[in-house]
Amino acid sequence: MSLEPRIIKESFTHLEPVADKAIAYFYGRLFAQHPRLRALFPPAMDAQRDRLFRALTKIVWSMDSPDALAGYLGRLGRDHRKLGVLPEHYPAVGDALIATLRAYGGDGWTAEAEAAWTAGYRAASELMIAAAERDAEQAPPWWIAEVVAHERRSYDLAVLTLRPGRPLPFDAGQYVSVQVSRWPRVWRPYSIANAPRPDGTLRLHVRAVPAGWVSGTLVRHTRTGDTLLLGPALGTMTLAPEAAGRDLLLIAGGTGLAPLRALAEDALAADPARRVHLMVGARTEQDLYDTAGLARLAVGHPGMRTTTLVADGGAHTTPADALGDIPGLAEHEVYVAGPAEMIRCTVDALQRLDVPPQRIHHDPLDGEYCA
């Protein structure tokens, strides 16, 4: 990226306390100078502002790990294709970013900082553009998928089976972004709940969240025969090749079951005798929505074990509470998925029980660990 990551990091610390104002200024500046770009973004910008600042934070604080940063920027570039982002849009974004930093950088904004940020943004945008161009040679910006099955498992949860019109490559544990026709330009990520299949179908577990535009549509207003748009598969919570012979511990909360079910399928397909322990946490018995499917998954796999934990069920009611009962816990490869608070507390408990950090896998989180 830039030759001066220290300068970029130091100047960014001046922006963090005024992040909300700065990001609002950024988009105001961008759309005022380039009004046509507004059409690329969703009608409501709150979530978009949050995503932008999280991405910017990750980029800044990853500058000391150039390989990881290049991978992240490449994924961003490929994913932005589904939004209609083109190479000629990047300079406009860069100009708005520098103007924002100049306005909100305070004492940390100097000629030296501006030069470092300008060079850093240029390098980042070149990586993103190159990744998008390579991706365009072999994949569309999005996939049209037909809903071939829609099962309501509860009043607020549905399992959808989708058939993309052309093959959508993915690995078990990854997720796709979904756009529904009711809400154009609004994309929401959902984990794929199966390992790759010969027929190319994908399953999604969707819980409708309060005021959730996409989730509410997918659960309550989507029917068999409807079509959706899917973005490319993303995410790094896939099976670690170096841990192929290690016992797996998969810890799920709510619809976090989806990617872990896919990992279990993938692991057992490669080694039917592999020891896989899937722990599923839920608030109530009614929230355990896929017990029959998990029972079918265990058929013919003697090493597959499923434990269900209900929050109102007494002792060992959460995955974090039950970890101490697992023999040889520190020797497992562990994957965690579910609500952010559940992941934080579970990862915290795993670390206290001496599971090496490199053996704990989960999608990125923001915020602090629980006390």
Side-chain angles (χ1 to χ4, degrees):
M1 283 260 316
S2 166
L3 298 178
E4 297 293 344
R6 178 187 58 81
I7 296 173
I8 290 179
K9 290 178 180 180
E10 288 178 356
S11 59
F12 188 68
T13 62
H14 292 265
L15 189 70
E16 289 176 307
V18 292
D20 290 345
K21 292 181 180 179
I23 297 302
Y25 179 92
F26 166 82
Y27 279 114
R29 177 100 179 198
L30 179 65
F31 297 151
Q33 293 188 330
H34 304 277
R36 292 184 179 181
L37 293 183
R38 182 64 181 89
L40 301 180
F41 294 86
M45 291 290 293
D46 291 350
Q48 178 64 31
R49 293 188 187 103
D50 291 342
R51 281 194 294 271
L52 172 65
F53 191 73
R54 287 198 301 269
L56 192 58
T57 301
K58 182 175 181 64
I59 290 168
V60 168
W61 297 110
S62 298
M63 294 180 67
D64 293 325
S65 303
D67 290 343
L69 179 56
Y72 177 70
L73 291 170
R75 292 190 293 274
L76 275 183
R78 292 191 295 274
D79 189 48
H80 283 175
R81 292 184 59 220
K82 75 176 189 292
L83 307 176
V85 175
L86 300 173
E88 54 264 33
H89 296 150
Y90 282 88
V93 173
D95 290 344
L97 176 62
I98 297 300
T100 301
L101 290 162
R102 189 181 299 125
Y104 287 89
D107 295 339
W109 192 250
T110 63
E112 190 179 34
E114 182 159 339
W117 274 94
T118 300
Y121 178 79
R122 184 183 304 115
S125 60
E126 288 172 356
L127 284 171
M128 294 173 69
I129 291 168
E133 290 176 344
R134 289 193 300 271
D135 193 58
E137 296 175 358
Q138 56 189 2
W142 60 77
W143 283 255
I144 300 174
E146 179 186 1
V147 180
V148 296
H150 186 281
E151 309 167 46
R152 287 289 291 271
R153 299 287 175 87
S154 71
Y155 76 97
D156 66 346
L157 191 143
V159 175
L160 287 74
T161 304
L162 312 178
R163 179 180 290 117
R166 58 185 295 178
L168 193 165
F170 71 95
D171 294 321
Q174 291 191 301
Y175 61 88
V176 291
S177 295
V178 178
Q179 177 183 279
V180 297
S181 59
R182 180 175 291 205
W183 300 111
R185 302 187 306 281
V186 179
W187 295 83
R188 294 292 183 266
Y190 295 97
S191 293
I192 303 169
N194 57 277
R197 296 172 171 174
D199 66 1
T201 57
L202 317 176
R203 298 198 101 191
L204 306 180
H205 297 178
V206 181
R207 187 180 298 279
V209 300
W213 295 3
V214 176
S215 64
T217 298
L218 290 173
V219 172
R220 302 188 180 99
H221 304 293
T222 299
R223 302 290 181 267
T224 300
D226 290 351
T227 57
L228 310 171
L229 290 186
L230 305 179
L234 298 170
T236 58
M237 197 179 66
T238 55
L239 291 176
E242 64 274 14
R246 194 170 292 139
D247 292 352
L248 286 181
L249 175 60
L250 312 175
I251 307 172
T255 53
L257 172 61
L260 303 190
R261 193 187 196 288
L263 290 176
E265 275 190 20
D266 200 35
L268 294 172
D271 180 3
R274 189 169 185 178
R275 293 168 62 89
V276 178
H277 185 179
L278 175 58
M279 300 177 68
V280 183
R283 290 187 177 89
T284 68
E285 288 283 351
Q286 290 71 31
D287 290 328
L288 296 171
Y289 63 88
D290 198 34
T291 51
L294 295 178
R296 289 192 298 272
L297 181 62
V299 173
H301 300 112
M304 175 73 185
R305 177 189 174 195
T306 301
T307 302
T308 57
L309 301 161
V310 179
D312 61 6
H316 294 336
T317 57
T318 70
D321 296 330
L323 292 173
D325 293 341
I326 299 176
L329 175 64
E331 302 304 316
H332 287 68
E333 200 77 13
V334 186
Y335 292 78
V336 189
E341 181 181 1
M342 170 262 177
I343 296 177
R344 293 184 185 110
C345 293
T346 302
V347 170
D348 196 27
L350 288 165
Q351 292 176 338
R352 289 198 306 269
L353 292 166
D354 298 325
V355 178
Q358 66 271 22
R359 292 186 184 173
I360 304 172
H361 309 271
H362 58 86
D363 283 326
L365 288 174
D366 301 299
E368 299 178 355
Y369 284 96
C370 60

